[in-house]
Amino acid sequence: GDSVTQKQGQVTLSEDDFLFINCTYSTTTYPTLLWYVQYPGQGPQLLLKVTTANNKGISRGFEATYDKGTTSFHLQKASVQESDSAVYFCAYDTNAYKVIFGKGTHLHVLP
Amino acid sequence: GPKVLQIPSHQIIDMGQMVTLNCDPVSNHLYFYWYKQILGQQMEFLVNFYNGKVMEKSKLFKDQFSVERPDGSYFTLKIQPTALEDSAVYFCASSRTDNYAEQFFGPGTRLTVL
């Protein structure tokens, strides 16, 4: 069935490091791909989304490109800050009014 | 930005009791959702709701669960009776009809079943 995979459970970086969070998906449809960020004590909030293959979503310095060939939607940021510490969820919508989330990646950015 | 409110923020109850979780969605949104999150990990879809009806529910949405939104009031998730495995954080979300993929989440209700 449809699924989304995030292999990295936790990532620890120092400020100004480059961030790369892996995400791959498996679906028989043509989904909208999403990244959500969840700060402690809050609900997830949409970080960026992409609806068309080969397009890039950009928000707050984060970017992700929808690669239909490799079925990937990796999240990147050139220079992370301590305030970026949060849980990042790769997700997609199923065209059926629900969002399927990956397991999440805990990002810890050290000052 | 648009905000979804959830009441209460925490709820502790004994196993077998009934609990109702309340959600105040964004005012012009018509699609509503409940998700379950255990130990800060994966968000699991429970159910979606539109025009007074459940559209889809997952395997996690047991027979003991029900949802409703009486006119002008909260969108609620009721669990009756509760079980130990229902302990989790429950997130409500809502979205517009023309952009349902952008769901706005509330801060969650932490439910502890003893």
Side-chain angles (χ1 to χ4, degrees):
Chain A
D2 295 345
S3 67
V4 61
T5 302
Q6 285 180 256
K7 291 184 178 178
Q8 301 150 289
Q10 183 164 305
V11 172
T12 301
L13 299 172
S14 298
E15 279 199 324
D16 298 324
D17 281 352
F18 172 73
L19 171 68
F20 181 91
I21 301 179
N22 185 289
C23 172
T24 56
Y25 62 90
S26 171
T27 173
T28 57
T29 61
Y30 293 93
T32 295
L33 296 176
L34 312 154
W35 277 98
Y36 276 84
V37 57
Q38 184 178 24
Y39 298 102
Q42 299 181 25
Q45 53 183 272
L46 185 64
L47 178 60
L48 53 84
K49 71 174 183 180
V50 173
T51 57
T52 306
N54 301 321
N55 274 5
K56 179 183 291 186
I58 300 174
S59 174
R60 306 185 228 169
F62 293 88
E63 62 179 59
T65 300
Y66 180 161
D67 188 328
K68 189 176 160 199
T70 59
T71 66
S72 66
F73 191 53
H74 310 314
L75 183 69
Q76 303 180 62
K77 187 177 185 185
S79 175
V80 292
Q81 302 303 305
E82 190 178 1
S83 58
D84 293 326
S85 296
V87 181
Y88 292 81
F89 290 97
C90 182
Y92 68 90
D93 87 82
T94 63
N95 300 326
Y97 305 98
K98 68 180 181 183
V99 171
I100 301 298
F101 286 84
K103 291 186 176 180
T105 299
H106 286 255
L107 172 63
H108 298 278
V109 181
L110 305 173
Chain B
K3 287 196 182 296
V4 174
L5 304 177
Q6 288 188 243
I7 301 165
S9 57
H10 293 83
Q11 181 85 54
I12 301 174
I13 58 171
D14 291 323
M15 182 176 62
Q17 285 189 314
M18 181 194 76
V19 67
T20 300
L21 310 183
N22 299 292
C23 171
D24 187 9
V26 178
S27 61
N28 62 342
H29 288 185
L30 297 179
Y31 284 98
F32 312 120
Y33 314 81
W34 283 103
Y35 291 83
K36 179 179 181 181
Q37 186 178 45
I38 295 178
L39 298 177
Q41 292 299 325
Q42 187 156 8
M43 296 282 292
E44 303 273 12
F45 168 80
L46 285 176
V47 66
N48 53 20
F49 188 87
Y50 171 72
N51 198 26
K53 289 182 281 193
V54 170
M55 296 185 295
E56 183 177 351
K57 53 188 179 181
S58 74
K59 294 177 185 177
L60 295 178
F61 194 81
K62 304 180 296 184
D63 292 342
Q64 298 89 328
F65 288 35
S66 63
V67 293
E68 65 176 355
R69 194 195 186 202
D71 288 343
S73 64
Y74 293 134
F75 175 52
T76 62
L77 172 66
K78 182 185 293 185
I79 309 174
Q80 180 179 27
T82 51
L84 295 176
E85 60 265 27
D86 297 330
S87 294
V89 180
Y90 290 84
F91 289 95
C92 172
S94 68
S95 65
R96 289 169 16 200
T97 53
D98 61 343
N99 190 10
Y100 60 84
E102 183 167 1
Q103 297 182 12
F104 291 83
F105 284 78
T109 293
R110 180 175 298 278
L111 176 65
T112 301
V113 181
L114 303 176

